Amino acid sequence: MKKLGFGLMRLPLTDGADAKSVDQDAFNKMADYFLENGFTYFDTAYPYHGGMSEVAFRKAVAERHPRSAYTITDKMPTFMVREASDYQRLFDEQLSRCGVDYFDYYLLHALGMGSYEKTVALGGFEFMKKLKAEGKAKHIGLSFHDKAEVLDRIFTEHPEMEYVLLQINYIDWDNASIESGRCYEVAVKHKKPVMVMEPVKGGALANVPEDAEKLFRTHAPGMSAASWALRFAASLKNVMVVLSGMSSLEQLRDNAGYMGNFKPLDGEEREIIKKAASIINESIDIPCTACNYCVDGCPKSIPIPKYFSLYNNQKQFGLFPNHTMYYAGLARDFGRASDCIECRQCEEHCPQHIEISRRLKDVASVFDKKR
Ligand code: SF4
Ligand code: SF4
């Protein structure tokens, strides 16, 4: 299977202010082009486009192409499940919305520690196994937003999960709170193939600072910044498919161009990406190096560098819903930014001389404001 997957969460719209207004004609043309060029993998989910992503898939693909021409991934919206009977109801609704009899891949959507424990308690894993036994889901897995140790626990306790959808891109790879790289290593350890979401970080890595852009352009004139980001993720050995949330035929043509006959990054290209990442990271707001010297001794157990990296990420790239999820996962186990009592003992240990207690207020203003 080719490594480019069509993520159906940023489809073309007829009204830019209305996420439900999928431009069906434009999407039909994109889906046709995608399939005509030998790609097969589509990825949708219950909440994408306010429920219209699954419907748009049915109209563009299921009703216009033979079942053998494509593979479709959908996801159980674990956040909508209140009781065990909801699993079957939601699943049947998804089959009907998508116009298919079975899904090639079916995931538990957006698992983290909280949703994992809820899913265990409500019998979600048994439900997934049942779907597989019935042939309603050819392969089962999960999408994941939490710390690597949580993923390790899930795969240890549920080895029947066959693969994982992870947020991976060259900026989040070493990020202390998103832990893309560490999560990838956990998947490798458990021998689980990885599907990648957000390889271009919601489009942010398609528009990098001029100096980074210049590095890319000099090495490969005519190749887009987005192509570097997609190729970074696709070059990882254990990655099975990289999802791109394409919104136009132009973006699709660009992606299909270099993903058709995919060539992994070579050593020189990896170095260029490293340099580009450090240029992008130079524009960060809080210059924390994640040395962790400040963490021991905090009376509120605040994971200071993790919150700073999340805050920096948020300031640089937006993507609020994802960041909120990662913050919530950390705040479940540690103190919140707003729990800081300004004792300032941490600041004595900071080699970067960051006014930690003051900057935690900035973090709190972004992530704790809904408390
Ligand atoms: S100033 Fe805040 S973050 Fe630093 S040690 Fe005190 S409570 Fe913890
Ligand atoms: S000591 Fe300073 S640089 Fe090191 S992790 Fe803490 S805030 Fe970041």
Side-chain angles (χ1 to χ4, degrees), residues 113-142:
M113 182 61 99
S115 48
Y116 170 61
E117 289 180 342
K118 184 181 100 172
T119 301
V120 169
L122 289 175
F125 286 89
E126 281 66 34
F127 178 74
M128 295 292 278
K129 282 190 266 185
K130 178 178 90 83
L131 290 181
K132 189 170 174 195
E134 292 170 350
K136 294 289 184 184
K138 301 291 181 198
H139 301 282
I140 54 175
L142 60 136

PDB file of all heavy atoms in Angstrom, residues 113-142:
ATOM      1  N   MET A 113      -5.282   8.274  29.096  1.00  0.00           N
ATOM      2  CA  MET A 113      -5.528   7.495  30.309  1.00  0.00           C
ATOM      3  C   MET A 113      -7.004   7.493  30.727  1.00  0.00           C
ATOM      4  O   MET A 113      -7.586   6.448  31.002  1.00  0.00           O
ATOM      5  CB  MET A 113      -4.654   8.036  31.449  1.00  0.00           C
ATOM      6  CG  MET A 113      -4.808   7.250  32.709  1.00  0.00           C
ATOM      7  SD  MET A 113      -4.319   5.535  32.469  1.00  0.00           S
ATOM      8  CE  MET A 113      -2.692   5.621  33.150  1.00  0.00           C
ATOM      9  N   GLY A 114      -7.623   8.675  30.756  1.00  0.00           N
ATOM     10  CA  GLY A 114      -9.019   8.767  31.221  1.00  0.00           C
ATOM     11  C   GLY A 114      -9.953   7.979  30.329  1.00  0.00           C
ATOM     12  O   GLY A 114     -10.756   7.157  30.796  1.00  0.00           O
ATOM     13  N   SER A 115      -9.851   8.204  29.013  1.00  0.00           N
ATOM     14  CA  SER A 115     -10.768   7.528  28.097  1.00  0.00           C
ATOM     15  C   SER A 115     -10.439   6.035  28.027  1.00  0.00           C
ATOM     16  O   SER A 115     -11.329   5.203  27.783  1.00  0.00           O
ATOM     17  CB  SER A 115     -10.721   8.157  26.708  1.00  0.00           C
ATOM     18  OG  SER A 115      -9.394   8.311  26.287  1.00  0.00           O
ATOM     19  N   TYR A 116      -9.167   5.686  28.241  1.00  0.00           N
ATOM     20  CA  TYR A 116      -8.796   4.263  28.251  1.00  0.00           C
ATOM     21  C   TYR A 116      -9.515   3.540  29.387  1.00  0.00           C
ATOM     22  O   TYR A 116     -10.150   2.500  29.188  1.00  0.00           O
ATOM     23  CB  TYR A 116      -7.276   4.120  28.387  1.00  0.00           C
ATOM     24  CG  TYR A 116      -6.841   2.694  28.639  1.00  0.00           C
ATOM     25  CD1 TYR A 116      -7.113   1.692  27.725  1.00  0.00           C
ATOM     26  CD2 TYR A 116      -6.157   2.353  29.816  1.00  0.00           C
ATOM     27  CE1 TYR A 116      -6.723   0.377  27.953  1.00  0.00           C
ATOM     28  CE2 TYR A 116      -5.763   1.040  30.053  1.00  0.00           C
ATOM     29  CZ  TYR A 116      -6.055   0.055  29.120  1.00  0.00           C
ATOM     30  OH  TYR A 116      -5.683  -1.242  29.359  1.00  0.00           O
ATOM     31  N   GLU A 117      -9.431   4.111  30.565  1.00  0.00           N
ATOM     32  CA  GLU A 117     -10.046   3.429  31.721  1.00  0.00           C
ATOM     33  C   GLU A 117     -11.559   3.346  31.570  1.00  0.00           C
ATOM     34  O   GLU A 117     -12.184   2.349  31.926  1.00  0.00           O
ATOM     35  CB  GLU A 117      -9.624   4.130  33.017  1.00  0.00           C
ATOM     36  CG  GLU A 117      -8.141   3.841  33.295  1.00  0.00           C
ATOM     37  CD  GLU A 117      -7.595   4.478  34.559  1.00  0.00           C
ATOM     38  OE1 GLU A 117      -8.227   5.416  35.067  1.00  0.00           O
ATOM     39  OE2 GLU A 117      -6.514   4.020  35.006  1.00  0.00           O
ATOM     40  N   LYS A 118     -12.138   4.399  31.003  1.00  0.00           N
ATOM     41  CA  LYS A 118     -13.586   4.366  30.765  1.00  0.00           C
ATOM     42  C   LYS A 118     -13.931   3.266  29.745  1.00  0.00           C
ATOM     43  O   LYS A 118     -14.898   2.517  29.921  1.00  0.00           O
ATOM     44  CB  LYS A 118     -14.054   5.732  30.243  1.00  0.00           C
ATOM     45  CG  LYS A 118     -15.558   5.824  30.067  1.00  0.00           C
ATOM     46  CD  LYS A 118     -16.001   7.154  29.526  1.00  0.00           C
ATOM     47  CE  LYS A 118     -16.262   7.057  28.047  1.00  0.00           C
ATOM     48  NZ  LYS A 118     -16.873   8.227  27.430  1.00  0.00           N
ATOM     49  N   THR A 119     -13.110   3.168  28.709  1.00  0.00           N
ATOM     50  CA  THR A 119     -13.366   2.162  27.661  1.00  0.00           C
ATOM     51  C   THR A 119     -13.245   0.748  28.226  1.00  0.00           C
ATOM     52  O   THR A 119     -14.050  -0.136  27.898  1.00  0.00           O
ATOM     53  CB  THR A 119     -12.375   2.367  26.490  1.00  0.00           C
ATOM     54  OG1 THR A 119     -12.558   3.702  25.985  1.00  0.00           O
ATOM     55  CG2 THR A 119     -12.629   1.376  25.372  1.00  0.00           C
ATOM     56  N   VAL A 120     -12.260   0.544  29.101  1.00  0.00           N
ATOM     57  CA  VAL A 120     -12.120  -0.773  29.740  1.00  0.00           C
ATOM     58  C   VAL A 120     -13.370  -1.076  30.552  1.00  0.00           C
ATOM     59  O   VAL A 120     -13.977  -2.154  30.451  1.00  0.00           O
ATOM     60  CB  VAL A 120     -10.863  -0.805  30.649  1.00  0.00           C
ATOM     61  CG1 VAL A 120     -10.862  -2.065  31.507  1.00  0.00           C
ATOM     62  CG2 VAL A 120      -9.589  -0.737  29.800  1.00  0.00           C
ATOM     63  N   ALA A 121     -13.791  -0.091  31.344  1.00  0.00           N
ATOM     64  CA  ALA A 121     -14.935  -0.299  32.246  1.00  0.00           C
ATOM     65  C   ALA A 121     -16.222  -0.592  31.473  1.00  0.00           C
ATOM     66  O   ALA A 121     -17.061  -1.378  31.926  1.00  0.00           O
ATOM     67  CB  ALA A 121     -15.117   0.936  33.134  1.00  0.00           C
ATOM     68  N   LEU A 122     -16.374   0.011  30.289  1.00  0.00           N
ATOM     69  CA  LEU A 122     -17.631  -0.163  29.537  1.00  0.00           C
ATOM     70  C   LEU A 122     -17.572  -1.325  28.534  1.00  0.00           C
ATOM     71  O   LEU A 122     -18.509  -1.545  27.777  1.00  0.00           O
ATOM     72  CB  LEU A 122     -17.973   1.137  28.796  1.00  0.00           C
ATOM     73  CG  LEU A 122     -18.415   2.301  29.688  1.00  0.00           C
ATOM     74  CD1 LEU A 122     -18.606   3.578  28.871  1.00  0.00           C
ATOM     75  CD2 LEU A 122     -19.708   1.965  30.426  1.00  0.00           C
ATOM     76  N   GLY A 123     -16.464  -2.036  28.516  1.00  0.00           N
ATOM     77  CA  GLY A 123     -16.375  -3.202  27.619  1.00  0.00           C
ATOM     78  C   GLY A 123     -16.025  -2.838  26.190  1.00  0.00           C
ATOM     79  O   GLY A 123     -16.313  -3.599  25.255  1.00  0.00           O
ATOM     80  N   GLY A 124     -15.385  -1.691  25.987  1.00  0.00           N
ATOM     81  CA  GLY A 124     -15.047  -1.246  24.628  1.00  0.00           C
ATOM     82  C   GLY A 124     -14.087  -2.172  23.903  1.00  0.00           C
ATOM     83  O   GLY A 124     -14.200  -2.373  22.691  1.00  0.00           O
ATOM     84  N   PHE A 125     -13.153  -2.767  24.620  1.00  0.00           N
ATOM     85  CA  PHE A 125     -12.190  -3.653  23.957  1.00  0.00           C
ATOM     86  C   PHE A 125     -12.859  -4.963  23.530  1.00  0.00           C
ATOM     87  O   PHE A 125     -12.569  -5.495  22.462  1.00  0.00           O
ATOM     88  CB  PHE A 125     -10.976  -3.897  24.859  1.00  0.00           C
ATOM     89  CG  PHE A 125     -10.067  -2.690  24.928  1.00  0.00           C
ATOM     90  CD1 PHE A 125     -10.266  -1.711  25.883  1.00  0.00           C
ATOM     91  CD2 PHE A 125      -9.052  -2.523  24.000  1.00  0.00           C
ATOM     92  CE1 PHE A 125      -9.453  -0.581  25.930  1.00  0.00           C
ATOM     93  CE2 PHE A 125      -8.227  -1.404  24.035  1.00  0.00           C
ATOM     94  CZ  PHE A 125      -8.433  -0.426  24.998  1.00  0.00           C
ATOM     95  N   GLU A 126     -13.790  -5.455  24.352  1.00  0.00           N
ATOM     96  CA  GLU A 126     -14.536  -6.659  23.966  1.00  0.00           C
ATOM     97  C   GLU A 126     -15.363  -6.356  22.711  1.00  0.00           C
ATOM     98  O   GLU A 126     -15.470  -7.185  21.805  1.00  0.00           O
ATOM     99  CB  GLU A 126     -15.472  -7.115  25.095  1.00  0.00           C
ATOM    100  CG  GLU A 126     -14.778  -7.864  26.214  1.00  0.00           C
ATOM    101  CD  GLU A 126     -13.800  -6.993  26.994  1.00  0.00           C
ATOM    102  OE1 GLU A 126     -14.072  -5.780  27.155  1.00  0.00           O
ATOM    103  OE2 GLU A 126     -12.739  -7.506  27.409  1.00  0.00           O
ATOM    104  N   PHE A 127     -15.927  -5.155  22.677  1.00  0.00           N
ATOM    105  CA  PHE A 127     -16.718  -4.777  21.507  1.00  0.00           C
ATOM    106  C   PHE A 127     -15.842  -4.772  20.250  1.00  0.00           C
ATOM    107  O   PHE A 127     -16.247  -5.275  19.192  1.00  0.00           O
ATOM    108  CB  PHE A 127     -17.366  -3.404  21.719  1.00  0.00           C
ATOM    109  CG  PHE A 127     -18.159  -2.946  20.541  1.00  0.00           C
ATOM    110  CD1 PHE A 127     -19.395  -3.518  20.257  1.00  0.00           C
ATOM    111  CD2 PHE A 127     -17.660  -1.984  19.675  1.00  0.00           C
ATOM    112  CE1 PHE A 127     -20.125  -3.128  19.135  1.00  0.00           C
ATOM    113  CE2 PHE A 127     -18.381  -1.588  18.554  1.00  0.00           C
ATOM    114  CZ  PHE A 127     -19.613  -2.155  18.282  1.00  0.00           C
ATOM    115  N   MET A 128     -14.648  -4.236  20.366  1.00  0.00           N
ATOM    116  CA  MET A 128     -13.748  -4.191  19.206  1.00  0.00           C
ATOM    117  C   MET A 128     -13.407  -5.608  18.739  1.00  0.00           C
ATOM    118  O   MET A 128     -13.363  -5.896  17.544  1.00  0.00           O
ATOM    119  CB  MET A 128     -12.463  -3.432  19.566  1.00  0.00           C
ATOM    120  CG  MET A 128     -12.671  -1.965  19.890  1.00  0.00           C
ATOM    121  SD  MET A 128     -13.183  -0.966  18.484  1.00  0.00           S
ATOM    122  CE  MET A 128     -11.615  -0.650  17.674  1.00  0.00           C
ATOM    123  N   LYS A 129     -13.152  -6.493  19.699  1.00  0.00           N
ATOM    124  CA  LYS A 129     -12.814  -7.879  19.325  1.00  0.00           C
ATOM    125  C   LYS A 129     -14.005  -8.543  18.625  1.00  0.00           C
ATOM    126  O   LYS A 129     -13.844  -9.314  17.682  1.00  0.00           O
ATOM    127  CB  LYS A 129     -12.417  -8.684  20.566  1.00  0.00           C
ATOM    128  CG  LYS A 129     -10.991  -8.382  21.025  1.00  0.00           C
ATOM    129  CD  LYS A 129     -10.524  -9.330  22.092  1.00  0.00           C
ATOM    130  CE  LYS A 129     -10.761  -8.784  23.450  1.00  0.00           C
ATOM    131  NZ  LYS A 129     -10.224  -9.591  24.553  1.00  0.00           N
ATOM    132  N   LYS A 130     -15.192  -8.231  19.097  1.00  0.00           N
ATOM    133  CA  LYS A 130     -16.405  -8.788  18.480  1.00  0.00           C
ATOM    134  C   LYS A 130     -16.522  -8.301  17.022  1.00  0.00           C
ATOM    135  O   LYS A 130     -16.808  -9.094  16.125  1.00  0.00           O
ATOM    136  CB  LYS A 130     -17.629  -8.338  19.297  1.00  0.00           C
ATOM    137  CG  LYS A 130     -18.960  -8.808  18.733  1.00  0.00           C
ATOM    138  CD  LYS A 130     -20.126  -8.386  19.611  1.00  0.00           C
ATOM    139  CE  LYS A 130     -20.701  -7.045  19.263  1.00  0.00           C
ATOM    140  NZ  LYS A 130     -21.667  -6.996  18.184  1.00  0.00           N
ATOM    141  N   LEU A 131     -16.275  -7.025  16.804  1.00  0.00           N
ATOM    142  CA  LEU A 131     -16.342  -6.491  15.434  1.00  0.00           C
ATOM    143  C   LEU A 131     -15.377  -7.241  14.518  1.00  0.00           C
ATOM    144  O   LEU A 131     -15.689  -7.559  13.378  1.00  0.00           O
ATOM    145  CB  LEU A 131     -15.978  -5.000  15.408  1.00  0.00           C
ATOM    146  CG  LEU A 131     -16.964  -4.018  16.027  1.00  0.00           C
ATOM    147  CD1 LEU A 131     -16.429  -2.591  15.878  1.00  0.00           C
ATOM    148  CD2 LEU A 131     -18.340  -4.122  15.379  1.00  0.00           C
ATOM    149  N   LYS A 132     -14.200  -7.497  15.041  1.00  0.00           N
ATOM    150  CA  LYS A 132     -13.197  -8.189  14.224  1.00  0.00           C
ATOM    151  C   LYS A 132     -13.653  -9.631  13.933  1.00  0.00           C
ATOM    152  O   LYS A 132     -13.561 -10.095  12.788  1.00  0.00           O
ATOM    153  CB  LYS A 132     -11.837  -8.175  14.922  1.00  0.00           C
ATOM    154  CG  LYS A 132     -10.773  -8.681  13.998  1.00  0.00           C
ATOM    155  CD  LYS A 132      -9.377  -8.492  14.472  1.00  0.00           C
ATOM    156  CE  LYS A 132      -8.460  -9.199  13.482  1.00  0.00           C
ATOM    157  NZ  LYS A 132      -7.139  -9.412  13.940  1.00  0.00           N
ATOM    158  N   ALA A 133     -14.153 -10.290  14.952  1.00  0.00           N
ATOM    159  CA  ALA A 133     -14.609 -11.676  14.758  1.00  0.00           C
ATOM    160  C   ALA A 133     -15.753 -11.739  13.746  1.00  0.00           C
ATOM    161  O   ALA A 133     -15.864 -12.697  12.974  1.00  0.00           O
ATOM    162  CB  ALA A 133     -15.048 -12.264  16.101  1.00  0.00           C
ATOM    163  N   GLU A 134     -16.602 -10.724  13.725  1.00  0.00           N
ATOM    164  CA  GLU A 134     -17.742 -10.686  12.792  1.00  0.00           C
ATOM    165  C   GLU A 134     -17.344 -10.228  11.393  1.00  0.00           C
ATOM    166  O   GLU A 134     -18.172 -10.229  10.478  1.00  0.00           O
ATOM    167  CB  GLU A 134     -18.808  -9.708  13.319  1.00  0.00           C
ATOM    168  CG  GLU A 134     -19.500 -10.171  14.587  1.00  0.00           C
ATOM    169  CD  GLU A 134     -20.380  -9.072  15.207  1.00  0.00           C
ATOM    170  OE1 GLU A 134     -20.300  -7.904  14.747  1.00  0.00           O
ATOM    171  OE2 GLU A 134     -21.133  -9.375  16.133  1.00  0.00           O
ATOM    172  N   GLY A 135     -16.104  -9.763  11.251  1.00  0.00           N
ATOM    173  CA  GLY A 135     -15.664  -9.243   9.945  1.00  0.00           C
ATOM    174  C   GLY A 135     -16.154  -7.833   9.670  1.00  0.00           C
ATOM    175  O   GLY A 135     -16.037  -7.332   8.546  1.00  0.00           O
ATOM    176  N   LYS A 136     -16.702  -7.195  10.681  1.00  0.00           N
ATOM    177  CA  LYS A 136     -17.196  -5.813  10.496  1.00  0.00           C
ATOM    178  C   LYS A 136     -16.054  -4.806  10.567  1.00  0.00           C
ATOM    179  O   LYS A 136     -16.176  -3.668  10.120  1.00  0.00           O
ATOM    180  CB  LYS A 136     -18.238  -5.477  11.578  1.00  0.00           C
ATOM    181  CG  LYS A 136     -19.515  -6.282  11.465  1.00  0.00           C
ATOM    182  CD  LYS A 136     -20.275  -5.801  10.240  1.00  0.00           C
ATOM    183  CE  LYS A 136     -21.608  -6.496  10.100  1.00  0.00           C
ATOM    184  NZ  LYS A 136     -22.290  -6.088   8.856  1.00  0.00           N
ATOM    185  N   ALA A 137     -14.966  -5.217  11.191  1.00  0.00           N
ATOM    186  CA  ALA A 137     -13.742  -4.409  11.205  1.00  0.00           C
ATOM    187  C   ALA A 137     -12.601  -5.382  10.922  1.00  0.00           C
ATOM    188  O   ALA A 137     -12.374  -6.308  11.703  1.00  0.00           O
ATOM    189  CB  ALA A 137     -13.551  -3.747  12.560  1.00  0.00           C
ATOM    190  N   LYS A 138     -11.951  -5.183   9.783  1.00  0.00           N
ATOM    191  CA  LYS A 138     -10.897  -6.155   9.404  1.00  0.00           C
ATOM    192  C   LYS A 138      -9.692  -6.064  10.339  1.00  0.00           C
ATOM    193  O   LYS A 138      -9.038  -7.059  10.612  1.00  0.00           O
ATOM    194  CB  LYS A 138     -10.449  -5.907   7.955  1.00  0.00           C
ATOM    195  CG  LYS A 138     -11.574  -6.025   6.942  1.00  0.00           C
ATOM    196  CD  LYS A 138     -12.054  -7.463   6.800  1.00  0.00           C
ATOM    197  CE  LYS A 138     -13.160  -7.573   5.764  1.00  0.00           C
ATOM    198  NZ  LYS A 138     -13.931  -8.804   5.879  1.00  0.00           N
ATOM    199  N   HIS A 139      -9.401  -4.850  10.755  1.00  0.00           N
ATOM    200  CA  HIS A 139      -8.292  -4.643  11.697  1.00  0.00           C
ATOM    201  C   HIS A 139      -8.732  -3.641  12.757  1.00  0.00           C
ATOM    202  O   HIS A 139      -9.468  -2.699  12.454  1.00  0.00           O
ATOM    203  CB  HIS A 139      -7.055  -4.096  10.972  1.00  0.00           C
ATOM    204  CG  HIS A 139      -6.566  -5.000   9.888  1.00  0.00           C
ATOM    205  ND1 HIS A 139      -5.823  -6.129  10.143  1.00  0.00           N
ATOM    206  CD2 HIS A 139      -6.744  -4.951   8.539  1.00  0.00           C
ATOM    207  CE1 HIS A 139      -5.541  -6.732   9.005  1.00  0.00           C
ATOM    208  NE2 HIS A 139      -6.100  -6.047   8.020  1.00  0.00           N
ATOM    209  N   ILE A 140      -8.273  -3.827  13.979  1.00  0.00           N
ATOM    210  CA  ILE A 140      -8.674  -2.929  15.061  1.00  0.00           C
ATOM    211  C   ILE A 140      -7.442  -2.273  15.699  1.00  0.00           C
ATOM    212  O   ILE A 140      -6.360  -2.852  15.742  1.00  0.00           O
ATOM    213  CB  ILE A 140      -9.510  -3.663  16.139  1.00  0.00           C
ATOM    214  CG1 ILE A 140      -8.761  -4.899  16.667  1.00  0.00           C
ATOM    215  CG2 ILE A 140     -10.867  -4.052  15.578  1.00  0.00           C
ATOM    216  CD1 ILE A 140      -9.468  -5.610  17.811  1.00  0.00           C
ATOM    217  N   GLY A 141      -7.646  -1.047  16.169  1.00  0.00           N
ATOM    218  CA  GLY A 141      -6.537  -0.320  16.776  1.00  0.00           C
ATOM    219  C   GLY A 141      -7.047   0.874  17.564  1.00  0.00           C
ATOM    220  O   GLY A 141      -8.218   0.915  17.969  1.00  0.00           O
ATOM    221  N   LEU A 142      -6.176   1.847  17.761  1.00  0.00           N
ATOM    222  CA  LEU A 142      -6.563   3.028  18.529  1.00  0.00           C
ATOM    223  C   LEU A 142      -5.853   4.254  17.999  1.00  0.00           C
ATOM    224  O   LEU A 142      -4.779   4.156  17.413  1.00  0.00           O
ATOM    225  CB  LEU A 142      -6.205   2.838  20.009  1.00  0.00           C
ATOM    226  CG  LEU A 142      -4.731   2.619  20.326  1.00  0.00           C
ATOM    227  CD1 LEU A 142      -4.310   3.458  21.521  1.00  0.00           C
ATOM    228  CD2 LEU A 142      -4.476   1.154  20.628  1.00  0.00           C
TER     229      LEU A 142
END
